[in-house]
Amino acid sequence: MAQRRTSGTNLFMTVLCVVAMCRAVPINELLERASQHSDKLHSLSTTLTQELDSHFPPIGRVIMPRPAMCHTSSLQTPIDKDQALQVSESDLMSLARSLLQAWSDPLVLLSSSASALPHPAQSTIFNKIQEMQQYSKSLKDGLDVLSSKMGSSAQAITSLPYRGGTSLGQDKITKLINFNFLLSCLRRDSHKIDSFLKVLRCRAAKMQPEMC
Amino acid sequence: MMTKVREVLLLLLLPAFVPHTDGTRYSLPGKPTEIKCRSPEKETFTCWWKPGSDGGLPTTYALYYRKEGSNVVHECPDYHTAGKNSCFFNKNDTVIWVSYNITVVATNALGKTYSDPVDIDVVYIVKPHPPEKLEVTVMKDQGWPFLRVSWEPPRKADTRSGWITLIYELRVKLEEEESEWENHIAGQQKMFNIFSLRSGGTYLIQVRCKPDHGFWSEWSSTSYVKVPEYLHREKSVWILILVFSAFILLILIWLIHMNSHSLKHCMLPPVPGPKIKGFDKQLLKSGKSDEVFSALVVSDFPPTTSNYEDLLVEYLEVYVPEQQELMVDEGKDHDGCLKSIGSASDSDSGRGSCDSDNLLMDKSGAAKEEQQQQNQEGDQIGTETQGPKEAWEKETMLCANEDVVSPSTSSKKVKTWPSVFSPVTPYSPSPLDPHNSLEMHKQNFLSDTQFPPGSPSSDHCIKKALQSSYWEVCFNNNQPYPQTDVHQQLQAHSDRNISAINDGNAPRNLLLPTRMTEYVEVQRVNEENKVLLHPIPSGHTREEACSWVGHGDNYSKVKGVNSDNVLLLQREVVEEESMEMAGAAESCYTSSIAINTPKPTTCSHIALPVQEERVLAVSGYVDTATMFSLDT
């Protein structure tokens, strides 16, 4: 008798949830949440870069590869504000999603490398990498939902595979240098994602002009 | 030869031509340091550097930059817009998400000095201008003023399109010394309210902003605002006074409430009632002062008797009946003999104003309840001392045996009536009304004892009747009473005795001897199988001994034993003042007791006397309440 009752209440609850979810969350709300996620992601990467720089061998800066060597550099993104504001929403969304997708594997590599990074702040770095992975995952899910509402062109993703292998290097200096380099690339790309989403947010927030 | 000399001369003279200043050495220019670039709106940016020493020579500075992915070196397009030692990159020259490699070169006559290169990305170096159009107004919210601060984003920052997202912060300070800034984060909104203002104070307000990932701007220019007086001094003082007095009032009320009882005692002390031993208020009201005062006369004071034991035991007026040890016989070979120990306690103290009239009824009722309670209790051997309420209900000892079959459970009760009568009890046969007598009875205490049902029949006690002429004799074959040589002991249920006693024969009861621990000795058994008892003289005269015999309804006569082995006692109404009883003690205790058989028999439950077949309380002992009701 009690079981039947619990199953009945479960059914009722699921129906209620479905009904609630079916009520579409407006796009500007979704964009607001997405931009918050991307903001957090970029903040984390900035903090990580500063942490790493605190104990970085100076020689590393010389040897460090150029930012043009990032695996996402092939993706064409606007280079100034005028260009950026001329990009359509779908393209902006597509760019954001492509960049985000490009970092899912490297984040795993970063995480595994951070567990044994020869750095005094290794545990902090490792924790922050984990956090970034979580935010990246949730942002990816959110963008999937968003792009489905924005049309098919928004769902196109450019593939940007990471070809750096599964290891960052053999010796300590190389490891640190490559780690730093990857982080710098991540920092820039996360900033791009954040910027695009915030532009999209303001475009969708016609009802709340005071926010933008 | 001549050319050689000319060269040497030239060489020697060359230093002379060079202008010579004291202490200066020309050198290369110092390295430019601290290259700092900032972008106010993510569309342009400016770089500043700090020049080094100039080396004594006019030095020029140049900034060269290189974008990532390209090896083309460009020079700064604008050295002037941003001031000295700066380089301004306008919109056309600014790209984002592209790394600039910037180097500053100092050049003087002697050479160039390069600074350390700096890599920058425009999006990371955003520092906006301060917010503009800061406005502060005083607004009122139901009479209470508050400040509304509003501002605009810096002119150049494009927040409308979402290119830049700005977060604002403002700070407030009172215009006086030693006041500190109070910061508030306003988020992305461009308006803020400040409450809890000081009446008549002047405030300073500033605001600044920051991009979502960037640097804080400078503080804006200060805005001043004066808050009008809205809280009058007098009002605030009155409010304070009101609050204080209300608080004190509450405390006072609470204190009074806490001490209400003691205050009541202080203001309205309780009137104590009169409490004099032997003093009867009713008698006084009736006006017979002689009787009243005679009651106060204590004939036996100072106590002359040597029986101090009694004195100790029975000194009660308004006492709680004492527990008196009732010794059945000297030889203590009676197990389970009833012992009632009297405890003297004045339970009536301070209750002089209590209604004595009601007391009796109450007590009787209480006694009944108690008995019933005890009936419910388990079978235990114990001596329970009834309260004073009991005392004046019973005047006789009751020996109850569980073996006695009786409808009531009174058989389980043994009520002892130790010689409670205090020696101070007046023996004068003054006719006191029942009330007074009852009060005297109060002196008697009763103790209940319950026999275990399983106790052998041999456990019987012999009770000697106290003031009444009742006695209880238990059948006990196994334990011959040494003194009396009684083969068999009879047990008399003397519950009903009480009724007889209390029934209008109260005055006589007063004359009952004080020694309640009288032992009745079975003198002999006459030919009619009658057990003749006579009191054991223990210092008292026979007359005295007999004095109490004739008083009250005398249930000393056993009429007979019915078929159920029930002893039937005969009620004999004896006149009072029959002090002169027959000398023979036998007459006092003549009782016809039918002896059944020599074999051990259980004590029989005494049925109601035939003469007056009164059905008493089922409880087994007489309640004075019922007795009164029956009698009257």
Side-chain angles (χ1 to χ4, degrees):
Chain A
M1 196 59 180
Q3 279 182 348
R4 214 185 283 170
R5 198 175 286 176
T6 50
S7 65
T9 49
N10 280 345
L11 184 64
F12 177 71
M13 289 304 292
T14 40
V15 166
L16 199 65
C17 285
V18 166
V19 168
M21 287 191 298
C22 281
R23 220 193 87 221
V25 182
I27 285 191
N28 57 341
E29 276 280 324
L30 289 171
L31 279 169
E32 172 70 36
R33 298 179 199 178
S35 57
Q36 282 171 11
H37 274 78
S38 63
D39 190 284
K40 182 69 180 168
L41 197 63
H42 179 68
S43 303
L44 282 170
S45 70
T46 307
T47 318
L48 265 176
T49 313
Q50 289 162 0
E51 292 255 9
L52 212 62
D53 275 346
S54 62
H55 284 83
F56 200 69
I59 190 80
R61 292 185 217 284
V62 180
I63 307 178
M64 188 136 81
R66 300 275 189 87
M69 310 271 289
C70 287
H71 67 286
T72 52
S73 57
S74 59
L75 190 64
Q76 292 290 328
T77 51
I79 55 167
D80 63 12
K81 172 190 153 184
D82 297 328
Q83 271 190 24
L85 294 180
Q86 282 165 10
V87 180
S88 67
E89 288 92 359
S90 312
D91 292 339
L92 281 173
M93 178 58 69
S94 172
L95 285 172
R97 291 184 75 217
S98 309
L99 285 169
L100 196 59
Q101 178 63 39
W103 278 100
S104 59
D105 290 336
L107 269 174
V108 172
L109 173 63
L110 279 173
S111 171
S112 61
S113 305
S115 59
L117 196 69
H119 193 275
Q122 177 265 330
S123 60
T124 317
I125 291 170
F126 179 70
N127 291 336
K128 288 210 158 58
I129 299 269
Q130 303 273 67
E131 227 180 313
M132 285 177 72
Q133 277 184 297
Q134 289 168 12
Y135 275 101
S136 167
K137 173 77 174 58
S138 60
L139 180 61
K140 182 175 173 309
D141 297 338
L143 290 185
D144 289 342
V145 172
L146 262 174
S147 58
S148 63
K149 298 186 184 231
M150 292 170 70
S152 58
S153 58
Q155 293 176 313
I157 291 185
T158 312
S159 169
L160 303 160
Y162 176 70
R163 301 189 203 281
T166 53
S167 157
L168 285 182
Q170 305 304 320
D171 61 304
K172 174 183 165 185
I173 299 283
T174 318
K175 265 192 190 173
L176 277 176
I177 292 171
N178 288 339
F179 197 89
N180 207 356
F181 172 68
L182 261 183
L183 269 184
S184 67
C185 292
L186 178 56
R187 186 186 180 197
R188 171 183 288 178
D189 289 338
S190 62
H191 191 277
K192 284 185 186 176
I193 296 167
D194 188 44
S195 299
F196 298 154
L197 288 177
K198 282 178 177 163
V199 169
L200 281 173
R201 175 177 72 172
C202 271
R203 284 203 201 165
K206 294 191 182 71
M207 313 294 280
Q208 295 167 324
E210 67 272 5
M211 290 302 285
C212 287
Chain B
M1 177 89 160
M2 272 304 278
T3 53
K4 270 194 188 171
V5 172
R6 248 185 249 152
E7 282 171 10
V8 168
L9 273 172
L10 264 169
L11 270 171
L12 285 171
L13 289 170
L14 196 65
F17 289 122
V18 173
H20 179 75
T21 54
D22 294 317
T24 39
R25 270 181 38 210
Y26 299 119
S27 64
L28 287 172
K31 197 160 77 168
T33 55
E34 294 180 22
I35 298 173
K36 187 173 94 169
C37 303
R38 288 287 182 262
S39 167
E41 74 288 79
K42 249 196 293 190
E43 299 167 44
T44 65
F45 71 104
T46 312
C47 285
W48 297 271
W49 63 86
K50 185 176 171 191
S53 68
D54 60 355
L57 296 166
T59 316
T60 57
Y61 296 90
L63 187 145
Y64 296 99
Y65 67 89
R66 197 173 42 131
K67 294 183 189 175
E68 74 175 65
S70 138
N71 285 326
V72 178
V73 177
H74 306 271
E75 193 179 348
C76 170
D78 186 341
Y79 287 104
H80 306 289
T81 311
K84 201 165 185 239
N85 296 326
S86 71
C87 175
F88 176 73
F89 295 81
N90 58 11
K91 271 193 183 186
N92 300 331
D93 299 322
T94 309
V95 288
I96 54 170
W97 294 314
V98 171
S99 192
Y100 283 74
N101 190 297
I102 292 172
T103 315
V104 177
V105 178
T107 313
N108 68 357
L110 290 177
K112 295 184 176 184
T113 315
Y114 290 85
S115 65
D116 294 330
V118 167
D119 283 307
I120 58 143
D121 196 331
V122 175
V123 292
Y124 299 148
I125 54 164
V126 182
K127 179 178 174 180
H129 294 302
E132 300 169 358
K133 293 187 189 167
L134 180 59
E135 287 175 9
V136 188
T137 51
V138 180
M139 306 189 70
K140 287 220 181 225
D141 173 32
Q142 294 174 0
W144 298 96
F146 65 96
L147 294 177
R148 169 154 290 176
V149 189
S150 64
W151 57 85
E152 294 280 323
R155 211 174 314 122
K156 300 238 185 93
D158 184 9
T159 53
R160 288 291 291 114
S161 65
W163 186 240
I164 283 191
T165 310
L166 289 175
I167 301 169
Y168 302 97
E169 184 187 17
L170 67 98
R171 64 180 186 182
V172 188
K173 189 172 85 160
L174 264 175
E175 192 187 25
E176 60 186 30
E177 296 178 14
E178 300 169 0
S179 72
E180 304 220 336
W181 287 106
E182 193 180 300
N183 290 33
H184 299 280
I185 301 272
Q188 283 181 261
Q189 62 200 28
K190 303 180 191 61
M191 183 259 297
F192 197 79
N193 296 328
I194 299 173
F195 300 93
S196 300
L197 303 172
R198 177 179 293 192
S199 176
T202 305
Y203 286 93
L204 284 74
I205 299 165
Q206 288 181 325
V207 69
R208 66 175 182 177
C209 60
K210 167 178 113 77
D212 45 6
H213 310 284
F215 302 99
W216 280 106
S217 70
E218 300 295 331
W219 288 104
S220 67
S221 54
T222 310
S223 262
Y224 293 85
V225 66
K226 184 160 178 355
V227 181
E229 300 259 0
Y230 64 93
L231 204 61
H232 301 286
R233 282 284 172 82
E234 303 91 40
K235 258 193 212 169
S236 54
V237 168
W238 278 116
I239 288 169
L240 263 174
I241 289 171
L242 254 172
V243 167
F244 253 126
S245 47
F247 189 59
I248 289 168
L249 198 69
L250 273 173
I251 288 177
L252 273 174
I253 289 171
W254 181 76
L255 275 172
I256 287 171
H257 179 259
M258 293 305 283
N259 297 335
S260 58
H261 288 288
S262 54
L263 273 177
K264 264 192 225 167
H265 277 279
C266 218
M267 314 264 287
L268 310 164
V271 178
K275 203 178 80 162
I276 304 173
K277 201 184 302 187
F279 196 78
D280 184 20
K281 264 173 44 177
Q282 302 298 326
L283 210 56
L284 187 66
K285 284 179 191 172
S286 65
K288 296 184 182 172
S289 56
D290 288 341
E291 294 161 357
V292 172
F293 291 128
S294 64
L296 295 172
V297 172
V298 175
S299 64
D300 198 24
F301 189 79
T304 53
T305 67
S306 59
N307 197 352
Y308 288 104
E309 183 184 318
D310 294 338
L311 287 178
L312 290 169
V313 174
E314 300 132 11
Y315 203 78
L316 342 149
E317 180 70 19
V318 258
Y319 290 147
V320 174
E322 300 175 37
Q323 275 189 354
Q324 186 184 8
E325 225 176 300
L326 181 70
M327 303 298 294
V328 180
D329 55 292
E330 281 86 337
K332 304 187 173 68
D333 42 13
H334 282 265
D335 308 325
C337 237
L338 176 69
K339 291 190 182 211
S340 59
I341 301 171
S343 66
S345 61
D346 188 3
S347 65
D348 195 26
S349 57
R351 281 192 294 131
S353 50
C354 285
D355 281 340
S356 310
D357 300 332
N358 300 333
L359 208 54
L360 189 67
M361 312 301 272
D362 290 340
K363 295 300 164 75
S364 61
K368 207 167 176 178
E369 292 167 7
E370 277 194 33
Q371 191 183 15
Q372 285 170 357
Q373 276 178 3
Q374 289 170 356
N375 291 340
Q376 296 161 7
E377 287 173 5
D379 300 327
Q380 304 162 2
I381 297 181
T383 303
E384 291 176 10
T385 305
Q386 299 284 348
K389 35 196 173 183
E390 299 281 339
W392 42 293
E393 277 187 297
K394 335 287 181 204
E395 284 189 329
T396 57
M397 297 185 298
L398 307 172
C399 177
N401 193 321
E402 77 288 354
D403 295 334
V404 176
V405 177
S406 76
S408 66
T409 52
S410 62
S411 59
K412 298 217 196 290
K413 292 227 159 83
V414 180
K415 296 174 177 44
T416 63
W417 218 264
S419 56
V420 171
F421 269 151
S422 65
V424 296
T425 310
Y427 290 144
S428 64
S430 57
L432 300 173
D433 55 355
H435 281 304
N436 199 5
S437 67
L438 284 170
E439 286 177 3
M440 306 302 275
H441 299 330
K442 271 197 285 183
Q443 308 162 12
N444 307 324
F445 50 88
L446 182 74
S447 59
D448 279 353
T449 306
Q450 291 180 351
F451 280 107
S455 66
S457 61
S458 60
D459 290 342
H460 302 318
C461 359
I462 295 182
K463 301 284 172 74
K464 310 298 173 71
L466 294 181
Q467 75 269 12
S468 65
S469 56
Y470 310 125
W471 64 98
E472 295 179 357
V473 182
C474 300
F475 278 105
N476 193 340
N477 292 334
N478 297 342
Q479 297 180 3
Y481 196 65
Q483 289 184 1
T484 58
D485 287 334
V486 152
H487 307 288
Q488 295 159 341
Q489 295 156 4
L490 305 173
Q491 178 190 12
H493 186 85
S494 58
D495 278 351
R496 289 80 181 162
N497 299 341
I498 303 170
S499 65
I501 296 170
N502 294 332
D503 182 19
N505 289 327
R508 298 172 205 150
N509 295 327
L510 290 175
L511 308 178
L512 296 174
T514 61
R515 304 181 318 269
M516 291 303 109
T517 51
E518 285 300 314
Y519 295 110
V520 182
E521 184 181 14
V522 177
Q523 203 178 23
R524 61 185 164 87
V525 181
N526 62 3
E527 59 277 10
E528 292 174 346
N529 283 346
K530 288 188 181 177
V531 177
L532 301 178
L533 304 169
H534 71 88
I536 298 175
S538 53
H540 293 266
T541 62
R542 281 226 166 161
E543 287 172 354
E544 280 183 281
C546 284
S547 65
W548 59 273
V549 173
H551 298 297
D553 284 339
N554 204 344
Y555 279 108
S556 59
K557 222 170 190 171
V558 177
K559 195 184 176 197
V561 181
N562 64 359
S563 56
D564 293 339
N565 284 346
V566 177
L567 244 115
L568 303 175
L569 292 177
Q570 192 175 16
R571 177 180 172 179
E572 291 177 355
V573 180
V574 182
E575 291 184 5
E576 69 174 90
E577 278 105 24
S578 59
M579 303 284 289
E580 323 280 331
M581 297 291 288
E586 300 91 342
S587 60
C588 296
Y589 307 98
T590 303
S591 66
S592 313
I593 301 172
I595 303 173
N596 293 337
T597 53
K599 68 181 179 192
T601 56
T602 61
C603 276
S604 305
H605 184 78
I606 306 301
L608 282 168
V610 178
Q611 280 180 0
E612 298 198 13
E613 295 192 327
R614 222 187 257 198
V615 181
L616 288 179
V618 183
S619 56
Y621 62 91
V622 177
D623 281 344
T624 49
T626 53
M627 286 186 289
F628 279 124
S629 60
L630 287 168
D631 286 337
T632 57

